[in-house]
Amino acid sequence: MINRVLMPREILVGGGSRFKLSQVLAATGVRKPLLVTDPVMVKLGHAQALQASLAEAGLAADIFSNVVEDPTDISVGDVVTRIKAGEHDGLVALGGGSAIDTAKAAAIVATTGETLVSLKVPRIVDATVMPVISIPTTAGTGSEVTRAAVITDTAAHEKMLILGTAALPTAAIADFELTLTCPYRVTVDTGIDALTHALEALVNRNGNPHSEALALSALKLIGANLERAAAAPDDRDAREAMMLGALHAGLAVSNTSTALIHGLSRPIGAFFHVPHGMSNAMVLPLVTRYSLAAAPKHYAAAARALGYANEADTDGVAGIKLVDAFIDLNDRLDVPTPEKFGINRTRYTELLPEMVRQGLASGTPGNNPRVPNEAEMARLYELAYDGRVDF
């Protein structure tokens, strides 16, 4: 079997590595960068610090700081306008998944001239676009090293998946020091997102030895450090381990794509404005229980890597322990059900057919060990609403 392995051209990892940005830009030939970030990064001074370090190296960088949570086709269009007006030849994405996805999508649109709707899956966008250097400020989304971006179609209320090498950053800088300012909820939600990436890469129908090794590494790092980082924000060792775990999870899932957890969670996030990592967590125990019998060895391996089972446990026992541990993890980390989040049951039920349609249309449920049909997708949404896990 031939496995296609994709990753950024260069990845810098370590505390303080963000200040090597000028060298990375020089290596990629970018002379007039636009720094794409959000208001929080400006408020904390991270954007200005990077801008100053570039100025010292003789590079003048403009800042676009209006990135919004859950980026939309409109917010991406604003960045494209700035790219053209400033004649920028490359982007630096500083922030969480929203900033990085915004920059990746803007680079594609600015280079190709196509609309985002025309770029979404099932199309695979393998094209050469302007360089994007990603600098994540959360340990979770993995967007800094993946060939995917998720952008909301504001007219359709649909989270569009853009997939292909065009969405793969040219380089990534993973500096854990930037995560020290992450609040509890962001730490938890992005951390569970990374856990989900690793799990879905491990059990994925598109899995290979490369993705499996990275996924297991990610699960070990995340299992040992997620709750430590959440409880003690200034725990540098835990923060560094989480950043590396998220990086490995991103590299793993970039080479397999996501699966059913993401397929279910994206419509919940799009319609009810649930943070992405939280919507993943809402369905994590349920999808794991639903899928166990289709990939018992892989789920058992995940349970052992996370520290939820040991080598003496049979695969069947380890799988059940994994489901129970995910339920307990959600409880400890205050992950609500859709009901407890405040989503109206009537509205949820009304939108259920469209959520099923969007979830299946994303294509990622087809990568799951057990692939649901429409009726099963609907049943999964029904159970997820109040947190039931027995399919």
Side-chain angles (χ1 to χ4, degrees):
M1 178 183 292
I2 297 173
N3 297 313
R4 188 186 188 202
V5 177
L6 298 168
M7 63 181 66
R9 182 191 306 174
E10 183 174 358
I11 303 174
L12 296 184
V13 181
S17 56
R18 63 192 183 279
F19 295 118
K20 298 292 184 182
L21 175 60
S22 61
Q23 291 98 310
V24 174
L25 288 169
T28 55
V30 175
R31 302 179 63 84
K32 200 172 183 183
L34 176 64
L35 180 58
V36 179
T37 191
D38 58 65
V40 174
M41 290 299 105
V42 173
K43 181 179 180 181
L44 293 172
H46 293 319
Q48 298 92 317
L50 274 183
Q51 187 182 42
S53 73
L54 292 179
E56 289 178 4
L59 282 173
D62 290 338
I63 296 178
F64 176 94
S65 61
N66 293 328
V67 165
V68 298
E69 239 183 280
D70 290 327
T72 67
D73 45 4
I74 295 172
S75 63
V76 170
D78 292 340
V79 179
V80 173
T81 298
R82 281 289 299 276
I83 292 170
K84 293 178 179 177
E87 298 182 340
H88 296 287
D89 59 353
L91 303 178
V92 176
L94 173 70
S98 294
I100 297 173
D101 280 8
T102 296
K104 294 199 291 188
I108 297 172
V109 172
T111 303
T112 66
E114 297 189 61
T115 65
L116 285 168
V117 171
S118 70
L119 296 166
K120 70 178 182 178
V121 294
R123 181 178 174 185
I124 303 299
V125 191
D126 286 344
T128 301
V129 301
M130 69 166 56
V132 174
I133 291 47
S134 56
I135 307 177
T137 57
T138 64
T141 72
S143 186
E144 69 272 12
V145 292
T146 68
R147 58 188 180 100
V150 178
I151 307 295
T152 297
D153 180 339
T154 50
H157 298 286
E158 178 180 357
K159 286 197 173 187
M160 300 179 291
L161 176 62
I162 314 298
L163 191 65
T165 56
L168 182 68
T170 307
I173 300 175
D175 186 339
F176 77 91
E177 291 178 353
L178 289 168
T179 69
L180 294 172
T181 53
C182 276
Y184 176 85
R185 193 71 253 166
V186 173
T187 298
V188 167
D189 292 343
T190 56
I192 296 181
D193 191 20
L195 189 160
T196 303
H197 291 152
L199 179 67
E200 292 203 304
L202 183 63
V203 304
N204 205 288
R205 287 171 174 258
N206 300 319
N208 56 64
H210 173 79
S211 60
E212 182 174 323
L214 286 165
L216 287 171
S217 173
L219 290 169
K220 289 175 184 177
L221 289 163
I222 295 165
N225 293 282
L226 172 56
E227 293 184 82
R228 277 181 59 192
D234 58 350
D235 186 332
R236 293 174 66 88
D237 290 340
R239 291 288 192 179
E240 185 169 21
M242 281 300 299
M243 181 63 93
L244 184 60
L247 180 72
H248 285 181
L251 288 169
V253 82
S254 183
N255 287 280
T256 62
S257 188
T258 53
L260 179 56
I261 293 170
H262 278 73
L264 282 169
S265 75
R266 284 193 201 98
I268 294 174
F271 283 111
F272 302 108
H273 307 292
V274 180
H276 174 65
M278 182 183 289
S279 63
N280 280 343
M282 286 175 172
V283 300
L284 173 61
L286 171 61
V287 172
T288 302
R289 181 68 185 87
Y290 168 81
S291 308
L292 270 184
K297 291 186 181 299
H298 287 105
Y299 281 109
R304 296 182 185 110
L306 285 163
Y308 300 154
N310 56 54
E311 295 300 328
D313 292 321
T314 65
D315 289 348
V317 168
I320 294 301
K321 283 186 173 183
L322 183 63
V323 177
D324 291 341
F326 283 156
I327 294 171
D328 291 342
L329 182 67
N330 278 358
D331 286 342
R332 290 196 302 274
L333 296 180
D334 301 318
V335 175
T337 62
E339 181 180 36
K340 290 183 179 178
F341 186 78
I343 296 173
N344 179 270
R345 182 185 290 272
T346 300
R347 181 61 176 156
Y348 186 89
T349 302
E350 289 173 350
L351 286 169
L352 198 149
E354 178 60 14
M355 290 196 293
V356 169
R357 187 198 69 77
Q358 289 188 14
L360 290 173
S362 73
T364 61
N367 302 325
N368 205 60
R370 181 179 177 184
V371 180
N373 56 32
E374 286 188 23
E376 289 175 323
M377 281 286 281
R379 182 59 178 158
L380 287 167
Y381 275 121
E382 290 170 357
L383 292 170
Y385 182 76
D386 52 10
R388 288 170 289 165
V389 299
D390 291 323
F391 185 83

